[in-house]
PDB file of all heavy atoms in Angstrom:
ATOM      1  N   ALA A 241     -57.132 -14.201 -32.976  1.00 94.00           N
ATOM      2  CA  ALA A 241     -56.990 -12.754 -33.014  1.00 94.00           C
ATOM      3  C   ALA A 241     -57.989 -12.100 -33.965  1.00 94.00           C
ATOM      4  O   ALA A 241     -58.138 -10.877 -33.963  1.00 94.00           O
ATOM      5  CB  ALA A 241     -55.562 -12.376 -33.438  1.00 94.00           C
ATOM      6  N   PHE A 242     -58.674 -12.916 -34.763  1.00 94.00           N
ATOM      7  CA  PHE A 242     -59.608 -12.380 -35.755  1.00 94.00           C
ATOM      8  C   PHE A 242     -61.057 -12.738 -35.466  1.00 94.00           C
ATOM      9  O   PHE A 242     -61.962 -12.037 -35.900  1.00 94.00           O
ATOM     10  CB  PHE A 242     -59.229 -12.902 -37.154  1.00 94.00           C
ATOM     11  CG  PHE A 242     -57.967 -12.300 -37.693  1.00 94.00           C
ATOM     12  CD1 PHE A 242     -56.733 -12.844 -37.382  1.00 94.00           C
ATOM     13  CD2 PHE A 242     -58.005 -11.167 -38.495  1.00 94.00           C
ATOM     14  CE1 PHE A 242     -55.562 -12.299 -37.874  1.00 94.00           C
ATOM     15  CE2 PHE A 242     -56.843 -10.597 -38.986  1.00 94.00           C
ATOM     16  CZ  PHE A 242     -55.620 -11.163 -38.672  1.00 94.00           C
ATOM     17  N   TYR A 243     -61.269 -13.834 -34.764  1.00 93.00           N
ATOM     18  CA  TYR A 243     -62.633 -14.305 -34.540  1.00 93.00           C
ATOM     19  C   TYR A 243     -62.942 -14.316 -33.047  1.00 93.00           C
ATOM     20  O   TYR A 243     -63.132 -15.368 -32.437  1.00 93.00           O
ATOM     21  CB  TYR A 243     -62.819 -15.690 -35.176  1.00 93.00           C
ATOM     22  CG  TYR A 243     -62.520 -15.687 -36.659  1.00 93.00           C
ATOM     23  CD1 TYR A 243     -61.347 -16.245 -37.169  1.00 93.00           C
ATOM     24  CD2 TYR A 243     -63.413 -15.088 -37.558  1.00 93.00           C
ATOM     25  CE1 TYR A 243     -61.078 -16.230 -38.528  1.00 93.00           C
ATOM     26  CE2 TYR A 243     -63.148 -15.060 -38.922  1.00 93.00           C
ATOM     27  CZ  TYR A 243     -61.970 -15.632 -39.401  1.00 93.00           C
ATOM     28  OH  TYR A 243     -61.712 -15.600 -40.755  1.00 93.00           O
ATOM     29  N   HIS A 244     -62.988 -13.100 -32.481  1.00 88.00           N
ATOM     30  CA  HIS A 244     -63.221 -12.949 -31.039  1.00 88.00           C
ATOM     31  C   HIS A 244     -64.599 -13.442 -30.606  1.00 88.00           C
ATOM     32  O   HIS A 244     -64.806 -13.780 -29.444  1.00 88.00           O
ATOM     33  CB  HIS A 244     -63.085 -11.472 -30.627  1.00 88.00           C
ATOM     34  CG  HIS A 244     -61.751 -10.866 -30.955  1.00 88.00           C
ATOM     35  ND1 HIS A 244     -60.607 -11.192 -30.275  1.00 88.00           N
ATOM     36  CD2 HIS A 244     -61.387  -9.964 -31.903  1.00 88.00           C
ATOM     37  CE1 HIS A 244     -59.585 -10.509 -30.778  1.00 88.00           C
ATOM     38  NE2 HIS A 244     -60.027  -9.769 -31.772  1.00 88.00           N
ATOM     39  N   ASP A 245     -65.531 -13.473 -31.559  1.00 89.00           N
ATOM     40  CA  ASP A 245     -66.902 -13.832 -31.200  1.00 89.00           C
ATOM     41  C   ASP A 245     -67.110 -15.345 -31.083  1.00 89.00           C
ATOM     42  O   ASP A 245     -68.241 -15.806 -30.927  1.00 89.00           O
ATOM     43  CB  ASP A 245     -67.887 -13.267 -32.233  1.00 89.00           C
ATOM     44  CG  ASP A 245     -67.624 -13.778 -33.632  1.00 89.00           C
ATOM     45  OD1 ASP A 245     -66.486 -14.211 -33.903  1.00 89.00           O
ATOM     46  OD2 ASP A 245     -68.559 -13.745 -34.458  1.00 89.00           O
ATOM     47  N   SER A 246     -66.019 -16.125 -31.154  1.00 92.00           N
ATOM     48  CA  SER A 246     -66.175 -17.574 -31.002  1.00 92.00           C
ATOM     49  C   SER A 246     -65.034 -18.169 -30.174  1.00 92.00           C
ATOM     50  O   SER A 246     -64.569 -19.267 -30.443  1.00 92.00           O
ATOM     51  CB  SER A 246     -66.245 -18.264 -32.373  1.00 92.00           C
ATOM     52  OG  SER A 246     -65.099 -17.962 -33.149  1.00 92.00           O
ATOM     53  N   THR A 247     -64.615 -17.412 -29.160  1.00 91.00           N
ATOM     54  CA  THR A 247     -63.532 -17.902 -28.295  1.00 91.00           C
ATOM     55  C   THR A 247     -63.985 -18.142 -26.859  1.00 91.00           C
ATOM     56  O   THR A 247     -63.193 -18.609 -26.041  1.00 91.00           O
ATOM     57  CB  THR A 247     -62.349 -16.910 -28.279  1.00 91.00           C
ATOM     58  OG1 THR A 247     -62.818 -15.622 -27.872  1.00 91.00           O
ATOM     59  CG2 THR A 247     -61.684 -16.807 -29.651  1.00 91.00           C
ATOM     60  N   ASP A 248     -65.243 -17.836 -26.562  1.00 91.00           N
ATOM     61  CA  ASP A 248     -65.763 -18.076 -25.219  1.00 91.00           C
ATOM     62  C   ASP A 248     -66.214 -19.534 -25.118  1.00 91.00           C
ATOM     63  O   ASP A 248     -67.297 -19.897 -25.556  1.00 91.00           O
ATOM     64  CB  ASP A 248     -66.934 -17.131 -24.929  1.00 91.00           C
ATOM     65  CG  ASP A 248     -67.486 -17.297 -23.512  1.00 91.00           C
ATOM     66  OD1 ASP A 248     -66.987 -18.177 -22.771  1.00 91.00           O
ATOM     67  OD2 ASP A 248     -68.424 -16.567 -23.151  1.00 91.00           O
ATOM     68  N   ILE A 249     -65.369 -20.365 -24.526  1.00 93.00           N
ATOM     69  CA  ILE A 249     -65.645 -21.802 -24.511  1.00 93.00           C
ATOM     70  C   ILE A 249     -66.796 -22.167 -23.576  1.00 93.00           C
ATOM     71  O   ILE A 249     -67.294 -23.288 -23.618  1.00 93.00           O
ATOM     72  CB  ILE A 249     -64.388 -22.606 -24.130  1.00 93.00           C
ATOM     73  CG1 ILE A 249     -63.921 -22.238 -22.718  1.00 93.00           C
ATOM     74  CG2 ILE A 249     -63.285 -22.390 -25.142  1.00 93.00           C
ATOM     75  CD1 ILE A 249     -62.797 -23.127 -22.217  1.00 93.00           C
ATOM     76  N   SER A 250     -67.240 -21.238 -22.743  1.00 92.00           N
ATOM     77  CA  SER A 250     -68.374 -21.519 -21.849  1.00 92.00           C
ATOM     78  C   SER A 250     -69.716 -21.353 -22.555  1.00 92.00           C
ATOM     79  O   SER A 250     -70.752 -21.739 -22.014  1.00 92.00           O
ATOM     80  CB  SER A 250     -68.329 -20.588 -20.626  1.00 92.00           C
ATOM     81  OG  SER A 250     -68.517 -19.237 -21.013  1.00 92.00           O
ATOM     82  N   ASP A 251     -69.692 -20.799 -23.769  1.00 93.00           N
ATOM     83  CA  ASP A 251     -70.911 -20.551 -24.536  1.00 93.00           C
ATOM     84  C   ASP A 251     -71.055 -21.624 -25.616  1.00 93.00           C
ATOM     85  O   ASP A 251     -70.260 -21.662 -26.563  1.00 93.00           O
ATOM     86  CB  ASP A 251     -70.839 -19.165 -25.181  1.00 93.00           C
ATOM     87  CG  ASP A 251     -72.115 -18.782 -25.921  1.00 93.00           C
ATOM     88  OD1 ASP A 251     -72.930 -19.681 -26.211  1.00 93.00           O
ATOM     89  OD2 ASP A 251     -72.279 -17.581 -26.223  1.00 93.00           O
ATOM     90  N   PRO A 252     -72.055 -22.510 -25.508  1.00 93.00           N
ATOM     91  CA  PRO A 252     -72.221 -23.579 -26.504  1.00 93.00           C
ATOM     92  C   PRO A 252     -72.351 -23.062 -27.932  1.00 93.00           C
ATOM     93  O   PRO A 252     -71.860 -23.693 -28.873  1.00 93.00           O
ATOM     94  CB  PRO A 252     -73.507 -24.288 -26.051  1.00 93.00           C
ATOM     95  CG  PRO A 252     -73.609 -23.991 -24.589  1.00 93.00           C
ATOM     96  CD  PRO A 252     -73.051 -22.604 -24.427  1.00 93.00           C
ATOM     97  N   ARG A 253     -73.020 -21.917 -28.092  1.00 94.00           N
ATOM     98  CA  ARG A 253     -73.196 -21.365 -29.434  1.00 94.00           C
ATOM     99  C   ARG A 253     -71.851 -20.920 -30.019  1.00 94.00           C
ATOM    100  O   ARG A 253     -71.562 -21.152 -31.184  1.00 94.00           O
ATOM    101  CB  ARG A 253     -74.173 -20.188 -29.392  1.00 94.00           C
ATOM    102  CG  ARG A 253     -74.384 -19.490 -30.741  1.00 94.00           C
ATOM    103  CD  ARG A 253     -74.835 -20.450 -31.829  1.00 94.00           C
ATOM    104  NE  ARG A 253     -74.995 -19.775 -33.114  1.00 94.00           N
ATOM    105  CZ  ARG A 253     -74.945 -20.403 -34.281  1.00 94.00           C
ATOM    106  NH1 ARG A 253     -74.737 -21.714 -34.329  1.00 94.00           N
ATOM    107  NH2 ARG A 253     -75.113 -19.727 -35.401  1.00 94.00           N
ATOM    108  N   GLN A 254     -71.009 -20.296 -29.196  1.00 95.00           N
ATOM    109  CA  GLN A 254     -69.698 -19.879 -29.673  1.00 95.00           C
ATOM    110  C   GLN A 254     -68.824 -21.092 -30.002  1.00 95.00           C
ATOM    111  O   GLN A 254     -68.042 -21.068 -30.957  1.00 95.00           O
ATOM    112  CB  GLN A 254     -69.014 -18.973 -28.649  1.00 95.00           C
ATOM    113  CG  GLN A 254     -69.645 -17.603 -28.519  1.00 95.00           C
ATOM    114  CD  GLN A 254     -68.712 -16.581 -27.900  1.00 95.00           C
ATOM    115  OE1 GLN A 254     -67.491 -16.659 -28.040  1.00 95.00           O
ATOM    116  NE2 GLN A 254     -69.283 -15.596 -27.218  1.00 95.00           N
ATOM    117  N   ARG A 255     -68.956 -22.161 -29.220  1.00 95.00           N
ATOM    118  CA  ARG A 255     -68.198 -23.375 -29.517  1.00 95.00           C
ATOM    119  C   ARG A 255     -68.621 -23.937 -30.879  1.00 95.00           C
ATOM    120  O   ARG A 255     -67.784 -24.393 -31.666  1.00 95.00           O
ATOM    121  CB  ARG A 255     -68.419 -24.438 -28.427  1.00 95.00           C
ATOM    122  CG  ARG A 255     -67.860 -24.040 -27.066  1.00 95.00           C
ATOM    123  CD  ARG A 255     -67.596 -25.262 -26.192  1.00 95.00           C
ATOM    124  NE  ARG A 255     -68.776 -26.060 -25.919  1.00 95.00           N
ATOM    125  CZ  ARG A 255     -69.544 -25.926 -24.849  1.00 95.00           C
ATOM    126  NH1 ARG A 255     -69.275 -24.980 -23.950  1.00 95.00           N
ATOM    127  NH2 ARG A 255     -70.591 -26.710 -24.663  1.00 95.00           N
ATOM    128  N   GLU A 256     -69.930 -23.887 -31.157  1.00 96.00           N
ATOM    129  CA  GLU A 256     -70.420 -24.384 -32.433  1.00 96.00           C
ATOM    130  C   GLU A 256     -69.913 -23.534 -33.594  1.00 96.00           C
ATOM    131  O   GLU A 256     -69.489 -24.063 -34.628  1.00 96.00           O
ATOM    132  CB  GLU A 256     -71.958 -24.391 -32.424  1.00 96.00           C
ATOM    133  CG  GLU A 256     -72.558 -24.949 -33.710  1.00 96.00           C
ATOM    134  CD  GLU A 256     -74.076 -24.919 -33.690  1.00 96.00           C
ATOM    135  OE1 GLU A 256     -74.654 -23.893 -33.286  1.00 96.00           O
ATOM    136  OE2 GLU A 256     -74.683 -25.929 -34.078  1.00 96.00           O
ATOM    137  N   ILE A 257     -69.928 -22.213 -33.412  1.00 96.00           N
ATOM    138  CA  ILE A 257     -69.445 -21.316 -34.469  1.00 96.00           C
ATOM    139  C   ILE A 257     -67.962 -21.558 -34.737  1.00 96.00           C
ATOM    140  O   ILE A 257     -67.522 -21.624 -35.895  1.00 96.00           O
ATOM    141  CB  ILE A 257     -69.687 -19.841 -34.071  1.00 96.00           C
ATOM    142  CG1 ILE A 257     -71.186 -19.535 -34.052  1.00 96.00           C
ATOM    143  CG2 ILE A 257     -68.966 -18.899 -35.035  1.00 96.00           C
ATOM    144  CD1 ILE A 257     -71.531 -18.170 -33.483  1.00 96.00           C
ATOM    145  N   ALA A 258     -67.180 -21.708 -33.673  1.00 96.00           N
ATOM    146  CA  ALA A 258     -65.745 -21.972 -33.829  1.00 96.00           C
ATOM    147  C   ALA A 258     -65.523 -23.286 -34.564  1.00 96.00           C
ATOM    148  O   ALA A 258     -64.635 -23.393 -35.429  1.00 96.00           O
ATOM    149  CB  ALA A 258     -65.072 -21.996 -32.461  1.00 96.00           C
ATOM    150  N   SER A 259     -66.335 -24.289 -34.243  1.00 97.00           N
ATOM    151  CA  SER A 259     -66.215 -25.591 -34.898  1.00 97.00           C
ATOM    152  C   SER A 259     -66.482 -25.474 -36.390  1.00 97.00           C
ATOM    153  O   SER A 259     -65.730 -26.001 -37.224  1.00 97.00           O
ATOM    154  CB  SER A 259     -67.195 -26.589 -34.270  1.00 97.00           C
ATOM    155  OG  SER A 259     -66.923 -26.778 -32.900  1.00 97.00           O
ATOM    156  N   HIS A 260     -67.550 -24.790 -36.746  1.00 97.00           N
ATOM    157  CA  HIS A 260     -67.878 -24.603 -38.158  1.00 97.00           C
ATOM    158  C   HIS A 260     -66.788 -23.820 -38.878  1.00 97.00           C
ATOM    159  O   HIS A 260     -66.420 -24.162 -40.018  1.00 97.00           O
ATOM    160  CB  HIS A 260     -69.220 -23.874 -38.291  1.00 97.00           C
ATOM    161  CG  HIS A 260     -70.395 -24.693 -37.860  1.00 97.00           C
ATOM    162  ND1 HIS A 260     -71.620 -24.142 -37.546  1.00 97.00           N
ATOM    163  CD2 HIS A 260     -70.537 -26.034 -37.672  1.00 97.00           C
ATOM    164  CE1 HIS A 260     -72.456 -25.105 -37.204  1.00 97.00           C
ATOM    165  NE2 HIS A 260     -71.821 -26.266 -37.268  1.00 97.00           N
ATOM    166  N   ARG A 261     -66.281 -22.803 -38.237  1.00 97.00           N
ATOM    167  CA  ARG A 261     -65.234 -21.992 -38.870  1.00 97.00           C
ATOM    168  C   ARG A 261     -63.977 -22.816 -39.146  1.00 97.00           C
ATOM    169  O   ARG A 261     -63.366 -22.714 -40.210  1.00 97.00           O
ATOM    170  CB  ARG A 261     -64.897 -20.789 -37.985  1.00 97.00           C
ATOM    171  CG  ARG A 261     -65.895 -19.655 -38.110  1.00 97.00           C
ATOM    172  CD  ARG A 261     -65.599 -18.529 -37.143  1.00 97.00           C
ATOM    173  NE  ARG A 261     -66.424 -17.356 -37.449  1.00 97.00           N
ATOM    174  CZ  ARG A 261     -66.668 -16.375 -36.607  1.00 97.00           C
ATOM    175  NH1 ARG A 261     -66.177 -16.417 -35.374  1.00 97.00           N
ATOM    176  NH2 ARG A 261     -67.413 -15.353 -36.976  1.00 97.00           N
ATOM    177  N   LEU A 262     -63.580 -23.625 -38.189  1.00 98.00           N
ATOM    178  CA  LEU A 262     -62.370 -24.417 -38.359  1.00 98.00           C
ATOM    179  C   LEU A 262     -62.525 -25.437 -39.480  1.00 98.00           C
ATOM    180  O   LEU A 262     -61.627 -25.601 -40.315  1.00 98.00           O
ATOM    181  CB  LEU A 262     -62.004 -25.101 -37.044  1.00 98.00           C
ATOM    182  CG  LEU A 262     -61.313 -24.182 -36.030  1.00 98.00           C
ATOM    183  CD1 LEU A 262     -61.401 -24.736 -34.617  1.00 98.00           C
ATOM    184  CD2 LEU A 262     -59.841 -23.993 -36.430  1.00 98.00           C
ATOM    185  N   ILE A 263     -63.666 -26.128 -39.516  1.00 98.00           N
ATOM    186  CA  ILE A 263     -63.892 -27.105 -40.586  1.00 98.00           C
ATOM    187  C   ILE A 263     -63.931 -26.408 -41.949  1.00 98.00           C
ATOM    188  O   ILE A 263     -63.368 -26.893 -42.936  1.00 98.00           O
ATOM    189  CB  ILE A 263     -65.199 -27.875 -40.346  1.00 98.00           C
ATOM    190  CG1 ILE A 263     -65.075 -28.741 -39.093  1.00 98.00           C
ATOM    191  CG2 ILE A 263     -65.548 -28.751 -41.550  1.00 98.00           C
ATOM    192  CD1 ILE A 263     -66.383 -29.376 -38.653  1.00 98.00           C
ATOM    193  N   ALA A 264     -64.582 -25.251 -42.009  1.00 98.00           N
ATOM    194  CA  ALA A 264     -64.746 -24.540 -43.274  1.00 98.00           C
ATOM    195  C   ALA A 264     -63.457 -23.909 -43.769  1.00 98.00           C
ATOM    196  O   ALA A 264     -63.160 -23.941 -44.971  1.00 98.00           O
ATOM    197  CB  ALA A 264     -65.823 -23.462 -43.117  1.00 98.00           C
ATOM    198  N   LYS A 265     -62.683 -23.351 -42.873  1.00 98.00           N
ATOM    199  CA  LYS A 265     -61.520 -22.556 -43.276  1.00 98.00           C
ATOM    200  C   LYS A 265     -60.216 -23.349 -43.370  1.00 98.00           C
ATOM    201  O   LYS A 265     -59.251 -22.885 -43.979  1.00 98.00           O
ATOM    202  CB  LYS A 265     -61.348 -21.374 -42.316  1.00 98.00           C
ATOM    203  CG  LYS A 265     -62.549 -20.439 -42.289  1.00 98.00           C
ATOM    204  CD  LYS A 265     -62.381 -19.300 -41.308  1.00 98.00           C
ATOM    205  CE  LYS A 265     -63.696 -18.541 -41.102  1.00 98.00           C
ATOM    206  NZ  LYS A 265     -64.278 -18.019 -42.336  1.00 98.00           N
ATOM    207  N   MET A 266     -60.173 -24.548 -42.792  1.00 98.00           N
ATOM    208  CA  MET A 266     -58.927 -25.308 -42.815  1.00 98.00           C
ATOM    209  C   MET A 266     -58.474 -25.655 -44.237  1.00 98.00           C
ATOM    210  O   MET A 266     -57.278 -25.559 -44.543  1.00 98.00           O
ATOM    211  CB  MET A 266     -59.067 -26.567 -41.960  1.00 98.00           C
ATOM    212  CG  MET A 266     -57.735 -27.169 -41.571  1.00 98.00           C
ATOM    213  SD  MET A 266     -56.733 -26.105 -40.499  1.00 98.00           S
ATOM    214  CE  MET A 266     -57.583 -26.324 -38.942  1.00 98.00           C
ATOM    215  N   PRO A 267     -59.378 -26.058 -45.164  1.00 98.00           N
ATOM    216  CA  PRO A 267     -58.919 -26.292 -46.539  1.00 98.00           C
ATOM    217  C   PRO A 267     -58.351 -25.038 -47.186  1.00 98.00           C
ATOM    218  O   PRO A 267     -57.364 -25.108 -47.936  1.00 98.00           O
ATOM    219  CB  PRO A 267     -60.198 -26.747 -47.264  1.00 98.00           C
ATOM    220  CG  PRO A 267     -61.080 -27.262 -46.186  1.00 98.00           C
ATOM    221  CD  PRO A 267     -60.800 -26.405 -44.984  1.00 98.00           C
ATOM    222  N   THR A 268     -58.943 -23.898 -46.906  1.00 98.00           N
ATOM    223  CA  THR A 268     -58.458 -22.636 -47.463  1.00 98.00           C
ATOM    224  C   THR A 268     -57.062 -22.323 -46.937  1.00 98.00           C
ATOM    225  O   THR A 268     -56.164 -21.950 -47.705  1.00 98.00           O
ATOM    226  CB  THR A 268     -59.424 -21.487 -47.106  1.00 98.00           C
ATOM    227  OG1 THR A 268     -60.754 -21.855 -47.472  1.00 98.00           O
ATOM    228  CG2 THR A 268     -59.031 -20.207 -47.805  1.00 98.00           C
ATOM    229  N   ILE A 269     -56.858 -22.510 -45.646  1.00 98.00           N
ATOM    230  CA  ILE A 269     -55.556 -22.243 -45.036  1.00 98.00           C
ATOM    231  C   ILE A 269     -54.498 -23.202 -45.570  1.00 98.00           C
ATOM    232  O   ILE A 269     -53.377 -22.798 -45.908  1.00 98.00           O
ATOM    233  CB  ILE A 269     -55.662 -22.332 -43.501  1.00 98.00           C
ATOM    234  CG1 ILE A 269     -56.528 -21.187 -42.965  1.00 98.00           C
ATOM    235  CG2 ILE A 269     -54.280 -22.304 -42.840  1.00 98.00           C
ATOM    236  CD1 ILE A 269     -56.867 -21.304 -41.497  1.00 98.00           C
ATOM    237  N   ALA A 270     -54.855 -24.495 -45.680  1.00 98.00           N
ATOM    238  CA  ALA A 270     -53.897 -25.479 -46.193  1.00 98.00           C
ATOM    239  C   ALA A 270     -53.538 -25.189 -47.645  1.00 98.00           C
ATOM    240  O   ALA A 270     -52.358 -25.271 -48.032  1.00 98.00           O
ATOM    241  CB  ALA A 270     -54.484 -26.892 -46.069  1.00 98.00           C
ATOM    242  N   ALA A 271     -54.532 -24.844 -48.458  1.00 98.00           N
ATOM    243  CA  ALA A 271     -54.282 -24.538 -49.865  1.00 98.00           C
ATOM    244  C   ALA A 271     -53.434 -23.278 -50.004  1.00 98.00           C
ATOM    245  O   ALA A 271     -52.534 -23.208 -50.857  1.00 98.00           O
ATOM    246  CB  ALA A 271     -55.607 -24.378 -50.610  1.00 98.00           C
ATOM    247  N   MET A 272     -53.700 -22.280 -49.173  1.00 97.00           N
ATOM    248  CA  MET A 272     -52.905 -21.051 -49.221  1.00 97.00           C
ATOM    249  C   MET A 272     -51.463 -21.310 -48.802  1.00 97.00           C
ATOM    250  O   MET A 272     -50.522 -20.734 -49.369  1.00 97.00           O
ATOM    251  CB  MET A 272     -53.539 -19.976 -48.338  1.00 97.00           C
ATOM    252  CG  MET A 272     -54.866 -19.452 -48.882  1.00 97.00           C
ATOM    253  SD  MET A 272     -55.690 -18.291 -47.770  1.00 97.00           S
ATOM    254  CE  MET A 272     -54.631 -16.846 -47.951  1.00 97.00           C
ATOM    255  N   ALA A 273     -51.268 -22.185 -47.820  1.00 96.00           N
ATOM    256  CA  ALA A 273     -49.906 -22.545 -47.404  1.00 96.00           C
ATOM    257  C   ALA A 273     -49.163 -23.194 -48.566  1.00 96.00           C
ATOM    258  O   ALA A 273     -47.970 -22.945 -48.791  1.00 96.00           O
ATOM    259  CB  ALA A 273     -49.956 -23.485 -46.200  1.00 96.00           C
TER     260      ALA A 273
END
């Protein structure tokens, strides 16, 4: 709902951006939880 620019799975670049975001933000989300 926040990162609309990386949800188009048919676009390789958007898939890469989503991948980077998930790896980068998961520690932040886990720590905040």
